[in-house]
Amino acid sequence: MPLILGLESSCDDSAVALVSGDRQILAQAVVGQDDAHRPFGGVVPEIAARAHVDILPGLIRQVLAEADVGIGEVDAIAATAGPGLIGGVMVALLAGKGLSIALRKPLLAVNHLEGHALSPRLVDRDLAFPYLLLLASGGHCQLLEVRGVGDYRRLATTIDDAAGEAFDKAAKLLGLGYPGGPAIEALARDGDPTAVKLPRPLVGSGEPHFSFAGLKGAVQREVAGGKHRPADVAASFQQAVMDCMVDRTRVAMAATDAPTLVVAGGVAANGALRSALGDLASAEGRAFSVPPAWLCTDNAAMIGWAGAERLALGMIDGLDAPARARWPLDQMAEKVRGAGAKA
Ligand code: KG4
Ligand code: ZN
């Protein structure tokens, strides 16, 4: 079985993993940069890119040593080639190209979103195509029919903020710092999800798109009003996001007979969301699959695995593979009314 070295640096996590074509993760490591970005309340692209240059080479050495595998035993290099912060994307991609040249092994230029989209198949060998995927991360919130490797049909996207972005902005308003998702989830455990009345944007609409900007505005007004406990605001916010996701996913189910609902991306680490979507799937007679939380947030095991899937199909990239800031999974999907640059 081939051994694939996965490299990831598209946002604020530097990550390396060694995975095999038969779903073994021989070793992996992720180094976050939360402390470096926290004073700014979000990721600073220039700081992130420089940090990846510092961190990635040592991580490659560490992962190979932990797996007790020599660099010459690696069969292919899978590097994230986008989408993401372009300075960061270039770090892993160029490292991957350099290793590919030096080792004379194939390069797989992986779409980070495809890494998230295929990650459930790394831990769930029975998960077959097609499946309905809710992909919710810091930069994206989409419902996709995953038909195969490299074959995606977008059913819905956000018309403004991504789901993780909404968590991060709400957390900032509550003074919780960055990243916001885990902080909101922790605070929400002490709160009453019915305490604060918040909107559920687009719920009930016939198309399964998302919108979170209005929710952020409402949280801003609640925080400024100071009437409610922060824990109640956090719990009510999380409940509102969950209600939107459950409703939107239910609508998307009407557009696909894919038998399994899958959730992936950083926001899928949220325990309340995982259980609400699991309940939806069983109510709608669909199977449910969600990767463990460590595989939902950014990591290189998912990049190595997407590389393994592509390698098995002969989908190898040349050294001219570009670094892309924007790279939608469904290239045919049209812009949605009200949508900004995000697709
Ligand atoms: O997939 P990811 O690690 O990076 C991107 O590709 O964007 O997602 C990061 C996002 C952040 O916005 C973070 O706040 C959110 O995922 N997140 C969560 C949780 N853990 C991470 N959101 C809600 N609940 C969580 N437990
Ligand atoms: Zn991600």
Side-chain angles (χ1 to χ4, degrees):
M1 274 296 158
L3 282 182
I4 294 102
L5 185 68
L7 307 175
E8 158 64 35
S9 62
S10 65
C11 190
D12 61 339
D13 292 304
S14 312
V16 175
L18 192 64
V19 305
S20 72
D22 60 354
R23 295 183 163 81
Q24 307 292 317
I25 302 170
L26 285 84
Q28 67 153 327
V30 183
V31 174
Q33 307 168 3
D34 291 349
D35 293 342
H37 301 289
R38 191 167 288 118
F40 308 96
V43 179
V44 183
E46 178 79 16
I47 293 174
R50 287 167 188 264
H52 291 308
V53 172
D54 292 341
I55 296 167
L56 217 53
L59 273 193
I60 294 173
R61 256 181 249 118
Q62 179 189 326
V63 162
L64 290 169
E66 263 173 41
D68 198 18
V69 166
I71 187 87
E73 295 171 70
V74 169
D75 296 299
I77 320 293
T80 299
L85 303 172
I86 197 67
V89 169
M90 289 192 285
V91 177
L93 182 59
L94 280 174
K97 288 181 180 183
L99 286 169
S100 169
I101 295 167
L103 301 171
R104 298 169 193 264
K105 295 289 164 64
L107 171 74
L108 304 139
V110 172
N111 182 318
H112 177 90
L113 300 172
E114 179 156 69
H116 282 300
L118 299 178
S119 66
R121 285 166 52 85
L122 171 56
V123 285
D124 182 354
R125 65 174 58 242
D126 297 325
L127 178 60
F129 301 120
Y131 50 87
L132 172 61
L133 171 70
L134 170 59
L135 176 53
S137 69
H140 293 82
C141 191
Q142 302 196 334
L143 284 153
L144 296 145
E145 188 180 64
V146 183
R147 297 163 157 180
V149 177
D151 188 3
Y152 299 87
R153 181 167 71 107
R154 195 196 72 193
L155 303 173
T157 188
T158 178
I159 63 167
D160 41 56
D161 293 347
E165 194 178 357
F167 270 96
D168 294 336
K169 287 179 175 173
K172 198 169 181 178
L173 290 167
L174 284 163
L176 297 178
Y178 176 85
I184 295 239
E185 183 175 18
L187 185 60
R189 288 198 192 98
D190 301 323
D192 172 3
T194 64
V196 186
K197 258 182 94 77
L198 294 172
R200 268 71 173 156
L202 293 184
V203 162
S205 104
E207 279 192 303
H209 297 306
F210 298 89
S211 168
F212 296 110
L215 193 48
K216 184 196 73 180
V219 168
Q220 192 164 21
R221 286 189 289 281
E222 287 302 333
V223 171
K227 257 190 8 217
H228 297 282
R229 293 167 57 224
D232 288 341
V233 179
S236 302
F237 166 81
Q238 182 172 276
Q239 185 63 48
V241 173
M242 268 162 37
D243 289 350
C244 294
M245 290 194 155
V246 167
D247 177 78
R248 311 288 64 215
T249 306
R250 187 189 293 113
V251 171
M253 281 175 172
T256 172
D257 40 22
T260 306
L261 171 64
V262 172
V263 199
V267 182
N270 186 288
L273 182 68
R274 296 159 78 92
S275 76
L277 288 162
D279 292 348
L280 169 71
S282 67
E284 298 288 325
R286 316 249 178 158
F288 184 62
S289 180
V290 60
W294 62 262
L295 193 52
C296 289
T297 49
D298 284 349
N299 65 86
M302 69 181 194
I303 303 303
W305 173 249
E309 296 243 39
R310 296 184 77 83
L311 182 68
L313 296 169
M315 300 162 97
I316 289 161
D317 293 280
L319 290 173
D320 55 350
R324 305 187 219 202
R326 188 176 170 280
W327 188 1
L329 280 178
D330 180 354
Q331 312 255 12
M332 307 297 284
E334 284 172 16
K335 268 202 174 168
V336 179
R337 226 164 78 89
K342 289 164 204 148

